[in-house]
Amino acid sequence: MQMEQPYGEVNQLGGVFVNGRPLPNAVRIRIVELAQLGIRPCDISRQLRVSHGCVSKILARYNETGSILPGAIGGSKPRVTTPNVVKSIRDYKQADPGIFAWEIRDRLLADGVCDKYNVPSVSSISRILRNKIGNLSQPGQYEGAKPSAPQLPYGPVYPYSYPNAVSPSTAKLGSPPGVAVTAGHVGLSRAWPSVHTVSNILGIRAFMEPSAITGPEGYQPKMEEWASVNRAPFPSSHGLNGIDKSPIEADIKYNQPSPNLTGYVPACAYSASQYGVTACGGASGTYSPHWQSQSAGALSHAGGGAMGQHGHNLHSAMTFKRPPHVGNRKPPSPLSPVGKQQQEVLSGAPGLSGAPTTS
DNA sequence: CTCGTAACGGTTGAT
DNA sequence: GTATCAACCGTTACG
């Protein structure tokens, strides 16, 4: 726990990662972006130095849910036996003391108290009957138990209300973009410049974060939270994919045109820088103490600061972590049309490509 | 060579 | 305040 989660480890591809923790949001976004550009997962894996297993997983999830964000880590399950559910069970039991647990279960579904995703198991209902409703006469004192998530439909609907989320969140995560991207419509945008394209977001991020980031106290909302937050919208309300993606896709597409690509390059650059930093960091020591914030930091230099002073620093970082050894990273697929294209894309990112090729 | 997936060791957060 | 537990993480290795 004291895990300052310092440096993280290096995977077989030379990428830096923190075991047990999600990849930086920026990287996740990049994975999706690159995939959208038609770059193959294996190439994305190599370029970003993220295991193909991870790329596969992230893309699969994205295709499935439209979200690029990691799932909520830790904590207990939403807990289906909410006060409301317990109350209903009690009512059913009262109305019909001889009712079976499975019947209660059916009724919960029929009455819309629960849906198939959060309906308690028969055994749970039995337990509730036993433990909490042993004596019907006793009104449940159980009401107010769970303030949050009273009976969330799918779990995703977390009532989270970030108080001052805005600055902190943005600052801390450095990854909110993902949120914005995927769940722009949610409400999160509260502080967010609204949906905006990925690139924009990234760009924005670059600008915003620095300040925000620097400021934040230390605690971070954590990506997972965000995830949950933005996740909410997907499943239920709007069409997942359609809507979710649209923001992103649209953006990407928008960028797709070569020219645009360059435009969105900054994002790449920064993310790259982030990586570079982490990677190179080893040497420099800059590392990424907390990749999240760090990344933000990096990014801040890159984007926000226009890298002024840090420029050089960045450059060094930019080396894109091309490992010393690795002679020539497979000149990007010799031919695969895609390869070429992708290469451009990648290389498009200033900084990024530069280094690699050299080495 | 690619890519999906299980195993693995890890972190997190609610209970 | 500490332990458990169950969720997720990314990497690795296998197929």
Side-chain angles (χ1 to χ4, degrees), chain A residues 101 105 120-128 130:
Chain A
R105 188 166 185 273
S121 63
V122 172
S123 60
S124 291
I125 293 171
S126 295
R127 180 157 30 78
I128 290 168
R130 216 180 327 114

Side-chain angles (χ1 to χ4, degrees), chain A residues 31 52-53 68-69 102-103 109 114 165-166 173 176 181 239 242 250 278 281 287 301 306 310 350:
Chain A
I31 289 171
H52 89 266
I68 61 160
L69 299 178
W102 63 267
E103 291 177 302
L109 288 171
C114 301
V166 177
L173 302 183
V181 171
T278 57
Y287 248 106
H301 309 217
H310 300 305

Side-chain angles (χ1 to χ4, degrees), chain A residues 79-80 82-85 112-113 118 146 148-155 157:
Chain A
R79 154 173 203 151
V80 296
T82 61
N84 190 40
V85 171
V113 176
N118 69 3
K146 298 262 151 207
S148 63
Q151 71 278 331
L152 45 161
Y154 322 63
V157 183

Side-chain angles (χ1 to χ4, degrees), chain A residues 325-344:
Chain A
H325 47 76
V326 182
N328 42 11
R329 59 142 79 193
K330 119 191 205 167
S333 23
L335 20 146
S336 60
V338 177
K340 180 178 184 183
Q341 184 177 27
Q342 73 187 55
Q343 181 163 20
E344 290 182 357

Side-chain angles (χ1 to χ4, degrees), chain A residues 4-298:
Chain A
E4 26 293 5
Q5 66 167 125
Y7 325 146
E9 305 160 51
V10 177
N11 64 25
Q12 296 177 329
L13 297 173
V16 174
F17 71 99
V18 178
N19 194 0
R21 303 297 305 149
L23 282 175
N25 206 315
V27 176
R28 309 177 79 87
I29 291 174
R30 292 232 55 213
I31 289 171
V32 172
E33 288 177 331
L34 294 177
Q36 299 263 351
L37 291 175
I39 297 173
R40 298 206 160 290
C42 60
D43 291 320
I44 293 172
S45 172
R46 280 191 281 264
Q47 293 296 343
L48 298 181
R49 279 164 241 298
V50 170
S51 66
H52 89 266
C54 181
V55 169
S56 177
K57 188 173 170 182
I58 289 172
L59 290 177
R61 176 176 301 181
Y62 176 72
N63 288 330
E64 201 173 305
T65 70
S67 173
I68 61 160
L69 299 178
I73 298 173
S76 299
K77 284 182 289 193
R79 154 173 203 151
V80 296
T81 58
T82 61
N84 190 40
V85 171
V86 173
K87 180 175 181 299
S88 294
I89 292 173
R90 189 189 311 124
D91 290 343
Y92 299 151
K93 186 68 175 176
Q94 262 175 334
D96 177 8
I99 192 171
F100 288 113
W102 63 267
E103 291 177 302
I104 290 174
R105 188 166 185 273
D106 288 346
R107 280 207 60 183
L108 288 171
L109 288 171
D111 293 354
V113 176
C114 301
D115 61 31
K116 65 179 178 178
Y117 296 106
N118 69 3
V119 66
S121 63
V122 172
S123 60
S124 291
I125 293 171
S126 295
R127 180 157 30 78
I128 290 168
L129 291 172
R130 216 180 327 114
N131 302 337
K132 307 190 167 162
I133 310 180
N135 180 354
L136 296 178
S137 62
Q138 289 184 350
Q141 42 298 351
Y142 201 53
E143 339 291 288
K146 298 262 151 207
S148 63
Q151 71 278 331
L152 45 161
Y154 322 63
V157 183
Y158 291 160
Y160 273 48
S161 58
Y162 281 79
N164 39 9
V166 177
S167 59
S169 59
T170 54
K172 331 190 135 235
L173 302 183
S175 38
V179 174
V181 171
T182 56
H185 45 300
V186 178
L188 313 164
S189 19
R190 45 187 169 38
W192 282 82
S194 78
V195 184
H196 283 87
T197 62
V198 172
S199 56
N200 285 339
I201 290 169
L202 294 176
I204 289 168
R205 195 222 267 212
F207 294 102
M208 298 182 68
E209 295 209 351
S211 59
I213 288 170
T214 56
E217 59 296 1
Y219 168 77
Q220 303 184 346
K222 292 186 166 279
M223 182 180 300
E224 291 81 35
E225 294 181 356
W226 279 93
S228 59
V229 170
N230 73 8
R231 237 148 84 156
F234 297 126
S236 48
S237 48
H238 316 282
L240 318 176
N241 298 334
I243 290 178
D244 298 351
K245 285 170 116 179
S246 52
I248 256 186
E249 277 186 11
D251 297 342
I252 290 174
K253 286 175 181 175
Y254 184 3
N255 292 325
Q256 296 241 351
S258 48
N260 293 330
L261 275 180
T262 57
Y264 110 3
V265 168
C268 304
Y270 100 61
S271 61
S273 66
Q274 162 178 352
Y275 261 62
V277 172
T278 57
C280 297
S284 65
T286 316
Y287 248 106
S288 59
H290 6 304
W291 39 278
Q292 292 195 151
S293 58
Q294 169 74 358
S295 64

